[in-house]
Amino acid sequence: DAGVIQSPRHEVTEMGQEVTLRCKPISGHDYLFWYRQTMMRGLELLIYFNNNVPIDDSGMPEDRFSAKMPNASFSTLKIQPSEPRDSAVYFCASSFGNRGHYGYTFGSGTRLTVV
Amino acid sequence: AQSVSQHNHHVILSEAASLELGCNYSYGGTVNLFWYVQYPGQHLQLLLKYFSGDPLVKGIKGFEAEFIKSKFSFNLRKPSVQWSDTAEYFCAVSPSSNDYKLSFGAGTTVTVRA
């Protein structure tokens, strides 16, 4: 298995533009998480899905952020419009049920820079 | 909601030195505990985890952690570090009743000098 695949690896965009981050979880995993990592706030859980359904989006900063999971093998995190304070590394992770006993597998992240 | 605190922001040590990273959590119920490592430029990888049973947990690469329930702690240890252990280490906790909401500590950067 190739692991959790995120694209793009790096994204530089201008303030006000729409940004879409993509994630392909490990096949068979039924939980998918989006995290944001910054120096100031560390790792924050933004949203997670179970069987493609959003379960908890309380970590999504504001309405500019939205996440979808149209099927078991694909998820997107969209920021519209983007702002410089959104600059961070965004990680996607997936997990197989069973109370998380197998841990969470993280993708390599997308480093977003909003100028 | 649970929270996690890691005592050291940055630790610098020489090869073959022993390492101990502190982690405390606050949560009133039972928890699952994790240590993750992030090597420079890479994604997070699971080092070890504790769910129940023996409070001394052994993980990969010679790391171990001890869960002390009375102290709400889950400290990470390695008796002899190598240069390749240079990385950022994150402690994480999730309530046993809701295993999927994983909260991370701020992380500890470990620099091992050759």
Side-chain angles (χ1 to χ4, degrees), chain B residues 4 14 16 18 21 29-30 54 57-58 60 65 70 74-75 80 112:
Chain B
V4 184
S14 300
S18 64
L21 303 182
T30 55
D54 188 343
V57 180
K58 293 193 183 299
I60 62 172
S70 60
F74 190 56
N75 292 355
S80 177
V112 179

Side-chain angles (χ1 to χ4, degrees), chain A residues 23-95:
Chain A
C23 175
K24 176 178 167 50
I26 290 176
S27 177
H29 281 192
D30 54 352
Y31 282 82
L32 183 139
F33 309 82
W34 281 100
Y35 282 87
R36 178 172 67 175
Q37 185 179 36
T38 62
M39 289 289 290
M40 292 298 294
R41 301 173 69 91
L43 272 158
E44 305 171 275
L45 175 64
L46 300 178
I47 185 172
Y48 75 92
F49 296 82
N50 176 219
N51 292 323
N52 314 338
V53 176
I55 302 300
D56 186 341
D57 66 353
S58 59
M60 295 286 262
E62 48 198 276
D63 291 345
R64 297 184 298 107
F65 286 69
S66 62
K68 294 182 180 179
M69 193 166 184
N71 57 62
S73 59
F74 184 65
S75 176
T76 59
L77 177 67
K78 186 176 293 186
I79 308 172
Q80 166 64 18
S82 57
E83 298 182 2
R85 60 193 169 119
D86 302 329
S87 298
V89 181
Y90 291 81
F91 286 103
C92 176
S94 69
S95 176

Side-chain angles (χ1 to χ4, degrees), chain B residues 22-68:
Chain B
C23 171
N24 285 89
Y25 68 92
S26 64
Y27 184 71
T30 55
V31 294
N32 302 320
L33 297 155
F34 307 80
W35 275 98
Y36 280 84
V37 61
Q38 186 176 27
Y39 297 103
Q42 296 189 26
H43 60 281
L44 284 87
Q45 301 172 43
L46 182 66
L47 266 181
L48 48 79
K49 60 185 185 288
Y50 172 81
F51 280 73
S52 63
D54 188 343
L56 185 61
V57 180
K58 293 193 183 299
I60 62 172
K61 304 184 186 224
F63 285 90
E64 65 178 31
E66 185 175 12
F67 172 48
I68 302 180

Side-chain angles (χ1 to χ4, degrees), chain A residues 92-113:
Chain A
C92 176
S94 69
S95 176
F96 173 70
N98 197 25
R99 300 170 63 82
H101 271 253
Y102 302 107
Y104 303 73
T105 302
F106 283 79
S108 298
T110 295
R111 182 174 294 277
L112 173 65
T113 303

